[in-house]
């Protein structure tokens, strides 16, 4: 079954179009990454599903769990099984780790418990009472993932979770993604510029170039075709 189905989506901001006739599907249990250069429209794509800072949808459909959510208000999307970790890692800086997660728990109808969320993040468990503003970039990213996880989503959208993190922390993020996918059966939709990381965790990649889906392939095929990286990713 497809958890996410995007069909012929045309979207942008104001009168400027960013996405052109985009279609893609993500099956239950898959880890799928959307790759592309800066400005290709990756975050815009993700916001069309998450409903955050919503782009203007000119035409097309976004379905999650079989339900058309194209025009659904942002605050109602969590209850449709969507978890979202935005590019800017939204955490409440003045609140502690556990307070941040509790806020997310209180905002949703069928949440995980605090202990269950923390069980995925041993480092956060140790720092439970520390204010979010005093955490490192990697710890804040874990907290942002934890907050999204608290609503017990079916699909987790993650916009460049590795951005600005040291390589050993990127490995921790990878590990969490794998664990959530394997243990929770969570479907994951990832935007990444770190191709190596995306290849390590994904079942499949889509390539977005100037707002159009130009290719779709497995990590194995991408590995064998380094020229594709140069064509679409400049890496
Ligand atoms: N809120 C906005 N209002 C107007 N234009 C926007 C807005 N957000 C993004 N854009 C424009 O839409 C285009 C696609 O941006 P988007 O952020 O989706 O790209 P991206 O692939 O996520 O890039 P990056 O890799 O840099 O994060 C860009 O030209 C950008 O300037
Ligand atoms: Mg982006």
């Amino acid at each position: 079954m497809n958890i996410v189905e995007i069909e012929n989506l045309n979207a942008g901001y104001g009168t400027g179009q960013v996405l052109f006739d985009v279609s893609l599907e993500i099956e239950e249990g898959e880890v799928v990454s959307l790759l592309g250069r800066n400005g290709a429209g990756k975050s815009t794509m993700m916001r069309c599903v998450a409903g955050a800072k919503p782009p203007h949808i000119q035409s097309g459909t976004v379905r999650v769990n079989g339900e058309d959510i194209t025009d659904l208000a942002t605050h109602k999307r969590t209850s449709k099984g969507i978890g979202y970790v935005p590019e800017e890692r939204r955490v409440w800086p003045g609140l502690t780790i556990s307070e941040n997660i509790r806020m997310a728990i209180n905002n949703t109808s069928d949440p995980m418990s605090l202990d269950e969320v923390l069980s995925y993040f041993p480092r956060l468990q140790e720092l439970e009472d520390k204010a979010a503003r005093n955490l490192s970039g990697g710890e804040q990213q874990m907290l942002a993932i934890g907050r999204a996880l608290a609503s017990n989503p079916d699909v987790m959208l993650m916009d460049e979770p590795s951005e600005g993190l040291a390589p050993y922390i990127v490995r921790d993020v990878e590990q969490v993604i794998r664990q959530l996918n394997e243990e929770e059966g969570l479907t994951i939709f990832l935007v990444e510029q770190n191709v190596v990381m995306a290849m390590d965790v994904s079942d499949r990649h889509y390539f977005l170039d100037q707002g159009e889906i130009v290719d779709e392939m497995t990590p194995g095929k991408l590995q064998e075709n380094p020229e594709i990286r140069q064509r679409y990713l400049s890496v």
Side-chain angles (χ1 to χ4, degrees):
M1 184 188 130
N2 288 332
I3 296 267
V4 178
E5 286 172 320
I6 293 160
E7 218 175 276
N8 304 112
L9 190 68
N10 289 285
Y13 304 93
T15 52
Q17 189 167 351
V18 174
L19 299 176
F20 298 86
D21 211 30
V22 168
S23 296
L24 61 82
E25 294 103 46
I26 302 173
E27 249 185 73
E28 191 171 7
E30 266 192 314
V31 180
V32 172
S33 54
L34 182 64
L35 306 178
R37 293 174 199 230
N38 287 118
K42 304 180 300 294
S43 298
T44 302
M45 176 71 261
M46 209 150 250
R47 288 183 205 128
C48 286
V49 183
K53 295 186 197 160
H56 171 62
I57 295 179
Q58 290 143 7
S59 63
T61 325
V62 179
R63 272 190 292 272
V64 169
N65 278 321
E67 191 174 336
D68 185 343
I69 60 151
T70 317
D71 300 315
L72 192 72
T74 307
H75 67 277
K76 292 191 179 148
R77 295 199 185 203
T78 312
S79 66
K80 300 296 176 189
I82 301 168
Y84 176 46
V85 186
E87 232 170 354
E88 62 274 10
R89 289 177 202 158
R90 229 169 7 198
V91 296
W92 299 94
L95 301 185
T96 66
I97 288 178
S98 49
E99 285 166 348
N100 261 280
I101 295 170
R102 278 209 195 88
M103 287 266 288
I105 288 174
N106 293 338
N107 268 328
T108 181
S109 54
D110 180 28
M112 278 189 184
S113 69
L114 178 64
D115 285 347
E116 207 178 343
V117 174
L118 286 175
S119 71
Y120 287 95
F121 310 97
R123 179 78 188 137
L124 297 186
Q125 233 161 5
E126 288 168 27
L127 303 171
E128 214 180 312
D129 297 320
K130 199 165 173 180
R133 73 159 66 87
N134 297 329
L135 301 176
S136 70
E139 290 158 0
Q140 285 190 7
Q141 183 61 284
M142 293 298 182
L143 180 55
I145 298 171
R147 282 177 49 98
L149 187 63
S151 68
N152 219 343
D154 300 319
V155 59
M156 178 87 96
L157 313 174
M158 304 170 95
D159 197 341
E160 302 212 35
S162 77
E163 201 195 357
L165 303 183
Y168 74 98
I169 315 249
V170 173
R171 279 196 292 279
D172 287 350
V173 174
E174 267 185 44
Q175 178 59 34
V176 165
I177 290 175
R178 259 197 223 102
Q179 211 186 343
L180 290 175
N181 178 248
E182 284 163 16
E183 291 174 20
E184 284 291 317
L186 194 61
T187 304
I188 293 171
F189 185 27
L190 190 69
V191 161
E192 257 307 331
Q193 296 221 35
N194 182 336
V195 183
V196 175
M197 188 262 206
M199 286 169 66
D200 279 347
V201 298
S202 304
D203 298 308
R204 220 150 45 85
H205 308 293
Y206 282 103
F207 292 86
L208 192 67
D209 193 31
Q210 298 183 48
E212 290 184 67
I213 298 279
V214 287
D215 224 329
E216 186 230 320
M217 70 189 67
T218 60
K221 186 165 164 229
L222 180 58
Q223 183 75 46
E224 292 163 11
N225 292 276
E227 72 277 8
I228 291 171
R229 295 196 200 186
Q230 279 165 11
R231 196 181 317 151
Y232 303 132
L233 306 170
S234 53
V235 284

